[in-house]
Amino acid sequence: MSPKVTQAYKEEKKAIILEGALHCFTEKGFQATTMDDIVRHLGISKGAIYSYFTSKEEMYIQMADDKMNAMLEDTTELFKSMPSAADQIRYMYSRFRGQSLTELRKWMAFHLEFMLYAARQPQLTLRWNEYADKALVFIKGIMDGGKQTGEFRADLDCAAASRLFWSIRDGLALQYMLSGEEADYKRTIDDMENMVFRYIMG
């Protein structure tokens, strides 16, 4: 009789596989990486990987979703002691400032390649949108709260403000994708924060 596999063991195994896949994706790129690359890097059988993930696309979605969920969980808990919507938005900018350009470039290259790949595949586009919508809904919740308390302007379109928030952030990341200095990047985040606050406070 084979030993019972616990849920904790399964989660640990999945995490190990995802960490190995991430290493391969960031080293070779998403499209160039094959399942054989991941197998070689991890030193486990292809069957063992397929028992947890059906494809490298599923691995990517899981990675991105895990990262998003962890950020939302941690931040939502922190916000319980930070009732001001303005302070919550400022905290998000402090997170951006805390991310180095090196880390940003690694993740942006990873995300951009997958987004271009997924754009030609409706099922992957749907999965990506489910992931991305979590970020939009999260910021919209902050905007809604600030509008209700009077911190933000009464005529604020919170859905549009949420999309603007992320669009400016993503646009800045693209601007610094291949060139630019850390100090300039941080100063530009400051300018971006001031610009967004002028918009939401009116």
Side-chain angles (χ1 to χ4, degrees), residues 5-21 38 42-45 47-53 59 62 66:
V5 177
T6 66
Q7 188 61 34
Y9 173 86
K10 291 179 181 178
E11 292 302 320
E12 182 181 358
K13 197 70 174 179
K14 285 176 70 174
I16 290 170
I17 292 170
L18 289 177
E19 185 177 345
I38 299 170
L42 288 170
I44 62 177
S45 71
I49 292 178
Y50 278 124
S51 67
Y52 290 95
F53 300 100
M59 290 181 191
Q62 187 68 61
D66 286 350

Side-chain angles (χ1 to χ4, degrees), residues 10 12 17 28 45-46 71 77 84 101 110 126 150-151 171 197 201:
K10 291 179 181 178
E12 182 181 358
I17 292 170
K28 293 187 66 174
S45 71
K46 190 176 289 188
M71 185 278 287
E77 184 63 29
S84 165
L101 269 180
F110 181 43
L126 181 63
E151 291 180 73
F197 267 94
M201 301 189 81

Side-chain angles (χ1 to χ4, degrees), residues 4 39 96 101 142 155 157:
K4 184 178 180 181
V39 165
F96 298 155
L101 269 180
I142 300 175
D155 64 342
D157 182 331

